[in-house]
Amino acid sequence: MDLAAVTEHSALHAKPAGLTLQYGTAGFRTKAEHLDHVMFRMGLLAVLRSKQTQSTIGVMVTASHNPEEDNGVKLVDPLGEMLAPAWEEHATCLANAEEQDVTRVLVDISEKEAVNLQQEAFVVIGRDTRPSSEKLSQSVIDGVTVLGGHFHDYGLLTTPQLHYMVYCRNTDGQYGKATIEGYYQKLSTAFVQLTKQASCSGEDYRSLKVDCANGIGALKLKEMQHYLAQGLSVQLFNDGTKGKLNHLCGADFVKSHQKPPHGMEMKPDERCCSFDGDADRIVYYYLGAEGHFHLIDGDKIATLISTFLKELLLEIGENLNIGVVQTAYANGSSTRYLEEVMKVPVYCTKTGVKHLHHKAQEFDIGVYFEANGHGTALFKKAVEMKIKQLAKELDNKKQKAAKMLENIIDLFNQVADRRVISTTDAERRAVTPPGLQEAIDALVKKYKLSRAFVRPSGTEDVVRVYAEADSQANADSLAQEVSLAVFKLAGGIGEEPQPRF
């Protein structure tokens, strides 16, 4: 390791004085102008992680659902999973090191993790469409090359595509080809085959309106469209030709506001969905005949998928262990339905895909979706399913599940320091500041079928407030009261929280 070269190049990516960042649930995120040094240092760290694991490591430059002026970075481990917790700590330490300490921290990491510095290193890099992403991606490359690592810059990618590339490279192509074409071919072939078997309404040609959040999803879905020509007609909205990234559109906007994105007109029973800025979230929605907006968020998606799979397994007599993994944000109605009606075990983890994914791997079939649209289903074994015969039942489950998951609200409060709030019990109970959890407990008792919790955001400088109750009005009222408690007890700034409607 050429420490002199590291020192020389690090000076070109100097850390702003007094800036402290934390590797959160999705890596580092903040204003783009504060990230140059972080990107360079994550390039360094990716090389060390690659040497230690003797595998390809990924670096994704994105801030997902955050505003366009933000950016961020996260590292992807060998099997496409999130970075190991111990290395998250290394990332935080390295990012916050003062300039004169960078080489010392690198040596400390190398010694602690027994990194063979003679081992070859390979890093793959992707970025979203933010104006700042190309320059920040080059800073990552600078960090990789100064430590002698090899790299492949894929350029513009969705976050799931980068995860796919890493996994393919580390399984010698057994999972798929580590190319854009390989990604499109693998997913489109599976989709076309599935929809051919599951055509339950007599439609030979399906259509879908897609809100692309003015992000990378638009570019990649355009590329993928001709692969799907046999099974899906896609109409793109918020495709980046005008409008700002994630502004009044995208999965986060649709879920938070419970209404369609700007720029998309909906007619009753049209199928619609929204990505977020890096296309790793998806939520579905439609207008009922009466014109009411119906959102199929991550909770509903997980409920539909697991319910369908459970019934299929029962029908074909397969004795497989199926489980659903949720976070504290999951709608309590979905949890009760899965446990009490479908008899599917449900487990709760801390917020963040990395926690859900890890738990889901314990099952033959693990289903996890955060309410915001992050998620998937994992299969340990290949299961031959009689989808064609049973697909009609899926439509019935859609109709029932769409009605049962209502009356939740997710707000956020701005406070002077989000770190004053600490939590336990998978983030469902507040430990500090003193008196906050007691105040929340007292408020929850006022409403039927209610619960509420607060947690510091892992991606933004806010404290999130979640509430649910037996009606939308009660959920709104509970959220408002909990928000006021946070404001008073956790150092709220600005105006007191106002009623949402």
Side-chain angles (χ1 to χ4, degrees):
M1 184 159 54
D2 188 344
L3 298 181
V6 171
T7 299
E8 179 183 350
H9 282 259
S10 184
L12 302 175
H13 304 276
K15 173 181 172 291
L19 180 65
T20 301
L21 298 172
Q22 179 76 31
Y23 196 102
T25 54
F28 293 107
R29 286 188 194 170
T30 189
K31 300 299 181 186
E33 61 264 29
H34 299 321
L35 282 170
D36 180 56
H37 76 290
V38 173
M39 298 297 179
F40 171 74
R41 296 177 187 190
M42 291 307 99
L44 300 174
L45 191 70
V47 169
L48 295 186
R49 181 62 170 161
S50 177
K51 289 176 179 289
Q52 189 226 24
T53 60
Q54 300 181 38
S55 304
T56 295
I57 295 297
V59 180
M60 185 67 198
V61 178
T62 182
S64 187
H65 65 281
N66 283 38
E68 187 172 273
E69 57 270 20
D70 290 356
N71 217 318
V73 60
K74 64 179 179 179
L75 273 63
V76 179
D77 256 0
L79 296 182
E81 70 270 50
M82 300 297 189
L83 186 64
W87 283 77
E88 288 185 3
E89 295 180 11
H90 296 327
T92 297
C93 185
L94 183 59
N96 293 325
E98 297 304 326
E99 204 62 44
Q100 67 272 15
D101 297 325
V102 170
T103 54
R104 178 187 58 79
V105 172
L106 283 176
V107 171
D108 288 347
I109 295 171
S110 300
E111 293 177 350
K112 184 174 182 179
E113 297 294 343
V115 176
N116 177 5
L117 297 176
Q118 305 308 311
Q119 174 69 39
E120 291 289 316
F122 197 86
V123 178
V124 293
I125 302 160
R127 67 178 190 272
D128 69 13
T129 55
R130 295 167 194 272
S132 60
S133 288
E134 185 172 7
K135 181 177 183 297
L136 292 176
S137 182
Q138 185 58 49
S139 297
V140 174
I141 293 172
D142 197 13
V144 172
T145 54
V146 76
L147 280 189
H150 303 285
F151 70 92
H152 180 82
D153 182 9
Y154 281 98
L156 293 169
L157 286 183
T158 69
T159 293
Q161 285 177 331
L162 183 71
H163 285 261
Y164 167 87
M165 302 304 176
V166 173
Y167 193 21
C168 289
R169 285 177 176 270
N170 287 319
T171 54
D172 297 322
Q174 294 181 27
Y175 186 71
K177 296 179 181 178
T179 63
I180 295 294
E181 292 75 19
Y183 179 88
Y184 294 150
Q185 289 170 356
K186 182 179 178 70
L187 267 69
S188 62
T189 298
F191 176 80
V192 170
Q193 291 177 347
L194 179 63
T195 52
K196 280 181 178 179
Q197 296 181 69
S199 181
C200 54
S201 59
E203 294 179 274
D204 294 322
Y205 204 76
R206 298 174 182 268
S207 61
L208 178 68
K209 288 185 172 181
V210 184
D211 161 33
C212 299
N214 291 317
I216 184 64
L219 297 179
K220 297 305 174 181
L221 193 51
K222 284 177 184 177
E223 293 176 359
M224 192 175 182
Q225 273 185 291
H226 77 274
Y227 291 89
L228 299 170
Q230 299 178 50
L232 185 67
S233 172
V234 177
Q235 187 177 4
L236 305 186
F237 296 84
N238 298 312
D239 63 358
T241 56
K242 58 181 179 179
K244 292 182 65 176
L245 180 71
N246 294 322
H247 181 61
L248 303 177
C249 59
D252 196 56
F253 173 87
V254 171
K255 184 184 183 307
S256 298
H257 293 81
Q258 299 283 307
K259 65 180 182 181
H262 285 224
M264 178 191 286
E265 292 186 6
M266 295 175 60
K267 298 177 181 178
D269 297 326
E270 285 184 326
R271 298 180 177 91
C272 305
C273 68
S274 288
F275 295 142
D276 64 343
D278 64 336
D280 70 346
R281 292 184 182 185
I282 190 168
V283 295
Y284 297 90
Y285 43 94
Y286 62 95
L287 292 181
E290 75 291 354
H292 181 66
F293 181 81
H294 296 271
L295 176 67
I296 305 175
D297 63 5
D299 293 333
K300 297 181 183 181
I301 295 170
T303 301
L304 291 171
I305 291 176
S306 55
T307 297
F308 183 50
L309 291 175
K310 178 68 180 293
E311 294 194 346
L312 286 170
L313 293 174
L314 290 173
E315 181 70 20
I316 63 178
E318 286 283 353
N319 185 25
L320 296 178
N321 182 20
I322 183 171
V324 176
V325 188
Q326 298 181 328
T327 71
Y329 279 100
N331 191 318
S333 297
S334 69
T335 307
R336 288 191 292 272
Y337 178 79
L338 288 168
E339 291 182 330
E340 297 173 11
V341 179
M342 293 310 301
K343 308 301 181 184
V344 174
V346 179
Y347 299 85
C348 187
T349 72
K350 293 175 63 177
T351 304
V353 171
K354 61 186 178 185
H355 303 297
L356 289 99
H357 188 89
H358 179 75
K359 186 66 180 179
Q361 289 177 313
E362 297 179 9
F363 304 98
D364 293 326
I365 301 176
V367 179
Y368 70 87
F369 272 86
E370 292 185 296
N372 60 30
H374 281 135
T376 191
L378 301 177
F379 294 82
K380 274 190 177 178
K381 300 178 182 178
V383 180
E384 190 68 33
M385 302 181 190
K386 298 179 180 178
I387 297 178
K388 187 174 182 179
Q389 301 93 311
L390 300 175
K392 288 184 178 180
E393 295 185 16
L394 179 58
D395 266 0
N396 294 332
K397 299 301 176 295
K398 286 180 181 178
Q399 295 173 15
K400 288 190 288 186
K403 294 178 180 178
M404 73 179 184
L405 307 176
E406 302 292 344
N407 308 326
I408 62 172
I409 188 165
D410 184 8
L411 302 177
F412 63 86
N413 276 23
Q414 193 165 3
V415 294
D417 184 358
R418 59 178 164 162
R419 292 171 294 182
V420 301
I421 291 183
S422 61
T423 62
T424 187
D425 189 21
E427 303 177 300
R428 291 178 288 189
R429 295 189 66 80
V431 177
T432 59
L436 179 57
Q437 186 58 52
E438 290 76 8
I440 295 172
D441 291 341
L443 293 170
V444 167
K445 290 179 181 178
K446 295 169 56 178
Y447 302 92
K448 294 181 180 179
L449 297 175
S450 66
R451 68 187 186 99
F453 66 90
V454 302
R455 58 175 282 271
S457 171
T459 58
E460 300 162 83
D461 291 324
V462 297
V463 171
R464 295 193 173 276
V465 176
Y466 177 95
E468 64 179 69
D470 61 334
S471 70
Q472 186 65 57
N474 284 343
D476 290 337
S477 180
L478 176 57
Q480 167 69 8
E481 292 187 84
V482 173
S483 294
L484 284 172
V486 171
F487 186 87
K488 293 176 180 178
L489 297 173
I493 58 177
E495 296 182 0
E496 287 191 354
Q498 300 299 313
R500 185 165 177 253
F501 299 108

